[in-house]
Amino acid sequence: MPNVITHSLFTDFDIDLFKAGKHYKLYEKLGAHLVEVNGVKGVYFAVWAPTAQSVSVVGDFNYWTQGEHLLQVRWDSSGIWEGFIPNLAKGSIYKYKIQSNINGVVTEKADPFSLYCEKPPHTASVVWDLDYNWKDTKWMETRQENNSLDKPYSVYEVHLGSWKRADNNRFLTYLELADDLVNYVKETGFTHVEFMPVMEYPYDPSWGYQLVGYFAPTSRFGKPQDFMVLVDKLHQAGIGVILDWVPSHFPDDAHGLGFFDGSHLYEHPDRRKGYHPDWKSLVFNYGRNEVRAFLISNAVFWLSQYHADGLRVDAVASMLYLDYSRKDGEWEPNIYGGNENLETISFLKEFNEVIYANFDGVQTIAEESTSFPMVSRPTFAGGLGFGMKWMMGWMHDTLEYFQKDSIYRKYHQNDLTFSMTYAFTENFMLPFSHDEVVYGKQSIANKMTGDEWQKFANLRLLYGYMFTHPGTKLLFMGSEFGQSDEWNFEKSLDWHLLQYDYHKGIKQTITDLNQLYKNNPALYEKQFSGEGFEWINYSDHQNAVLSYIRKGNDEKENLVVVCNFTPVVRENYRIGIPKKGKLKEIFNTDSSLYGGSGITNSGTLKVDSSPYDGRDYSIELTLPPLSVTVYSIA
């Protein structure tokens, strides 16, 4: 029997779709597949390498010998090399040795479509399958109800390697996380987790944002099926799963996608478009059909094969602009003379169209930090088609405000109110992400001003303001209990802090805010619409107080929110109310349960007929120090 048998999984239609950039399930064809040919079990290999002169599969089964198992190039000019190696089994370790017809360059590459990779620092691919018996049918059938834009969306952002470590600083496995992490997220009430990239990456300090194995969950924490167990358990607990996805750039590691077959295959050949100066990485050629099909197939793969509920697309701003982080002379304008990357815009629109057309109840979320218009608007209306966009301006302005001593805050009220001038131009997610707690920026808790009591009161106030502000929410791990130190990816979060009352109080605040958010439709039904928000008074900068109404579909469920951004107790503080009735305090960040001073508005509070704030009715409240108080209206 020959070393390699002629065999193909491709039809002519597959090839036509691939060439056109419209094949969105390439993972079913390219890569390594356990199959049976003429009664013989083995592995079918297929790899795209159009400038190759020869392609060998090398591995532990042939002593890594080039030429022992040669693939054959297809006749159809697709550039695909393929073949069946009999008697090869699951778990076999392999790479592709590619001799280019360009100056005879030889590259040795991991499989771009590998389902499983060797544990870093090893770099080979592993023959694997995705056989798994999913138990999340209930979640998948009802996902659209839990994951739509008019539902609560409170996201816990997690770096799997440093959320918690075992003894001797060992990584927790996917299976261990399927118990510990799932129970914790359920306890604290988050509706979703977002995993920083789980796709295989060679370099730990990249936090996963320099991907090599786009179709393989990292083997640092276990096997592919083990990651499926983690997703499955989260779904069974009613928790959605968002994956960070990085189509913006990739590293130039020797075994990766760069210079794959001796040519610029995946990266743009023009360095002005194909190299990222900030990250010293390579940028995909979004104008090449086969590359677009690779990336969109990858997005489809994680949503279909791993049941992900959404993709948070990293570094979208770097993709959209030809001059991003480039000096004059280092970039070339588009055909209209502008700085927009037209190929990227076209790609992102197609990506979103494919995802929303093929998956019910999923969301795509853009990390996009500029004023690029209509990022989260449908493509048919001229938008990019994302479901949500990170509200980076709100995040920067809010954190800057909270770092100011309270005595100066009356001069900076606009830092808070400005967000409402553009809050409904996009479907915004409010992010306090990992980027805000590294590189000397301090933890969220240590950004807060004042003595110890005020720091924690300010932190509770910050989170209360965040959860009552329009938009969905994202909080990086550790922030929910007031992690003191900056995030360090090389060790566990400081879980020992939960023995201290102030830190326990922050965790309880977040837990109760999550319940407040989920239990009150006024906070989510119109979270992306101006109809869901109404100022009561935004101009009381002298007292540094903001008051507003959050609205849902039923006005009987509306909520009144009052924020006091100073440590001064405001007694007999009057605000205007739109109608007669009664108010009842349902949430207070100053509760003694959280470590606050315990000043509350107890009982039922009657609205009187005194006009105020331009309204016919008003009410007097006691505003606790550095607090958010929330009231139902009856």
Side-chain angles (χ1 to χ4, degrees):
M1 183 177 288
N3 288 344
V4 180
I5 296 172
T6 301
H7 186 70
S8 183
L9 295 182
F10 284 90
T11 65
D12 291 345
F13 185 54
D14 287 324
I15 296 300
D16 289 342
L17 288 175
F18 177 54
K19 289 180 178 179
K22 302 300 181 183
H23 200 307
Y24 304 134
K25 293 187 177 181
L26 284 176
Y27 53 87
E28 294 181 349
K29 308 294 179 177
L30 289 166
H33 299 270
L34 290 158
V35 297
E36 186 174 311
V37 176
N38 298 326
V40 179
K41 293 182 178 179
V43 179
Y44 164 79
F45 292 92
V47 61
W48 180 49
T51 67
Q53 181 177 313
S54 68
V55 177
S56 297
V57 183
V58 298
D60 58 355
F61 49 89
N62 63 12
Y63 304 100
W64 304 92
T65 305
Q66 183 178 1
E68 185 77 14
H69 291 89
L70 283 167
L71 300 181
Q72 296 178 328
V73 66
R74 289 183 60 90
W75 56 270
D76 50 25
S77 73
S78 62
I80 293 171
W81 297 73
E82 61 185 352
F84 172 74
I85 300 180
N87 303 314
L88 209 57
K90 179 178 175 179
S92 299
I93 299 171
Y94 71 100
K95 281 185 178 179
Y96 296 119
K97 198 128 187 177
I98 304 170
Q99 184 161 349
S100 176
N101 61 21
I102 303 174
N103 300 324
V105 171
V106 177
T107 60
E108 188 172 293
K109 296 292 186 177
D111 188 344
F113 285 83
S114 175
L115 302 175
Y116 188 28
C117 300
E118 281 191 301
K119 189 174 181 179
H122 300 293
T123 57
S125 302
V126 182
V127 174
W128 210 254
D129 61 40
L130 295 179
D131 293 345
Y132 179 74
N133 180 27
W134 287 91
K135 301 177 181 66
D136 63 348
T137 304
K138 181 180 178 183
W139 168 267
M140 296 298 285
E141 289 177 347
T142 61
R143 175 170 67 180
Q144 197 160 11
E145 300 170 20
N146 299 312
N147 212 36
S148 61
L149 295 177
D150 60 351
K151 291 295 189 292
Y153 219 94
S154 177
V155 181
Y156 187 55
E157 187 189 22
V158 176
H159 178 259
L160 287 173
S162 59
W163 178 72
K164 188 182 286 186
R165 296 273 181 111
D167 293 341
N168 301 319
N169 208 34
R170 173 182 67 79
F171 289 138
L172 292 186
T173 65
Y174 291 127
L175 296 179
E176 289 171 324
L177 289 161
D179 288 329
D180 289 4
L181 178 62
V182 174
N183 289 336
Y184 183 77
V185 175
K186 190 172 183 179
E187 174 195 345
T188 46
F190 290 94
T191 63
H192 294 71
V193 294
E194 178 184 317
F195 292 132
M196 293 166 67
V198 298
M199 303 81 180
E200 192 60 80
Y201 55 98
Y203 186 53
D204 282 346
S206 80
W207 312 332
Y209 289 99
Q210 299 268 8
L211 304 184
V212 169
Y214 269 76
F215 291 81
T218 177
S219 55
R220 287 167 175 79
F221 315 121
K223 298 179 174 64
Q225 282 79 1
D226 298 340
F227 181 60
M228 291 177 177
V229 171
L230 174 55
V231 175
D232 206 352
K233 289 283 186 71
L234 284 162
H235 282 172
Q236 291 174 54
I239 299 161
V241 178
I242 304 164
L243 302 181
D244 270 11
W245 188 54
V246 191
S248 49
H249 66 119
F250 58 93
D252 61 359
D253 292 62
H255 66 293
L257 297 176
F259 206 55
F260 188 79
D261 60 353
S263 73
H264 298 293
L265 190 61
Y266 288 92
E267 68 271 23
H268 200 287
D270 185 341
R271 192 172 175 85
R272 291 172 297 181
K273 293 183 179 180
Y275 180 76
H276 201 296
D278 284 355
W279 303 313
K280 298 183 172 49
S281 54
L282 303 175
V283 179
F284 285 104
N285 185 354
Y286 305 107
R288 187 163 191 169
N289 287 343
E290 297 90 343
V291 172
R292 291 165 73 108
F294 168 83
L295 287 170
I296 295 176
S297 289
N298 185 245
V300 169
F301 173 82
W302 290 101
L303 295 170
S304 62
Q305 303 302 303
Y306 283 90
H307 290 200
D309 305 296
L311 298 172
R312 184 282 233 171
V313 183
D314 182 62
V316 172
S318 76
M319 301 170 68
L320 290 174
Y321 296 101
L322 295 165
D323 59 346
Y324 186 92
S325 285
R326 290 177 172 85
K327 299 173 185 175
D328 290 345
E330 295 179 349
W331 65 281
E332 184 180 42
N334 63 36
I335 58 173
Y336 304 110
N339 65 343
E340 300 88 359
N341 190 325
L342 302 180
E343 292 173 342
T344 295
I345 292 169
S346 169
F347 162 73
L348 290 172
K349 288 182 177 182
E350 183 180 358
F351 152 72
N352 279 310
E353 288 169 356
V354 170
I355 297 310
Y356 281 104
N358 288 280
F359 296 93
D360 291 331
V362 303
Q363 299 294 342
T364 62
I365 305 164
E367 187 221 359
E368 204 287 308
S369 55
T370 74
S371 57
F372 193 93
M374 301 179 71
V375 171
S376 58
R377 294 294 178 259
T379 58
F380 64 75
L384 291 182
F386 285 94
M388 286 178 264
K389 169 182 169 171
W390 276 17
M391 198 175 190
M392 307 291 277
W394 172 88
M395 179 272 296
H396 285 299
D397 290 346
T398 301
L399 290 179
E400 188 172 321
Y401 179 89
F402 271 83
Q403 290 176 79
K404 291 180 169 65
D405 190 288
S406 59
I407 197 171
Y408 301 116
R409 288 179 176 175
K410 62 184 176 181
Y411 304 114
H412 300 277
Q413 188 110 324
N414 187 58
D415 287 354
L416 297 181
T417 58
F418 179 66
S419 66
M420 294 311 301
T421 65
Y422 66 95
F424 307 111
T425 59
E426 301 275 4
N427 297 338
F428 279 120
M429 173 176 280
L430 313 181
F432 290 138
S433 74
H434 65 275
D435 279 328
E436 308 319 312
V437 294
V438 290
Y439 298 145
K441 295 180 183 177
Q442 300 184 304
S443 66
I444 299 293
N446 273 348
K447 295 179 197 292
M448 301 298 104
T449 187
D451 59 23
E452 184 181 39
W453 188 91
Q454 288 192 14
K455 275 182 178 290
F456 282 94
N458 268 306
L459 189 57
R460 296 190 301 270
L461 168 58
L462 172 69
Y463 292 152
Y465 169 63
M466 173 192 190
F467 272 78
T468 57
H469 188 287
T472 54
K473 330 296 175 187
L474 178 138
L475 197 61
F476 183 58
M477 63 181 198
S479 303
E480 82 283 1
F481 62 79
Q483 168 100 6
S484 301
D485 291 339
E486 280 190 343
W487 171 51
N488 182 348
F489 72 92
E490 294 182 301
K491 69 183 186 72
S492 170
L493 297 178
D494 293 333
W495 294 102
H496 65 275
L497 293 175
L498 282 170
Q499 66 185 300
Y500 302 112
D501 289 342
Y502 280 140
H503 293 276
K504 281 192 288 190
I506 296 297
K507 182 188 170 191
Q508 191 62 52
T509 302
I510 288 294
T511 301
D512 290 354
L513 280 169
N514 275 325
Q515 293 306 315
L516 180 78
Y517 183 32
K518 291 189 287 189
N519 293 339
N520 288 276
L523 294 177
Y524 60 79
E525 285 181 340
K526 296 181 178 180
Q527 57 194 341
F528 301 127
S529 168
E531 296 177 355
F533 180 89
E534 179 184 337
W535 283 116
I536 295 175
N537 190 331
Y538 58 82
S539 60
D540 187 9
H541 56 86
Q542 198 63 38
N543 290 314
V545 173
L546 291 177
S547 52
Y548 44 90
I549 301 171
R550 290 300 312 277
K551 303 176 178 181
N553 295 328
D554 184 349
E555 70 171 25
K556 294 177 182 177
E557 297 177 330
N558 289 355
L559 300 177
V560 170
V561 182
V562 186
C563 307
N564 178 11
F565 294 97
T566 71
V568 178
V569 179
R570 309 282 179 195
E571 295 183 342
N572 304 316
Y573 188 88
R574 185 171 292 275
I575 63 170
I577 297 295
K579 63 177 185 177
K580 271 190 174 181
K582 298 175 181 178
L583 264 58
K584 183 178 180 181
E585 185 181 282
I586 61 171
F587 184 80
N588 184 338
T589 61
D590 190 52
S591 166
S592 56
L593 179 66
Y594 309 138
S597 60
I599 295 174
T600 63
N601 292 271
S602 58
T604 301
L605 310 170
K606 190 175 180 180
V607 175
D608 60 50
S609 298
S610 304
Y612 205 76
D613 288 332
R615 291 173 171 79
D616 293 336
Y617 307 97
S618 62
I619 194 169
E620 284 190 347
L621 303 170
T622 298
L623 306 189
L626 294 171
S627 70
V628 172
T629 48
V630 183
Y631 307 87
S632 62
I633 309 173

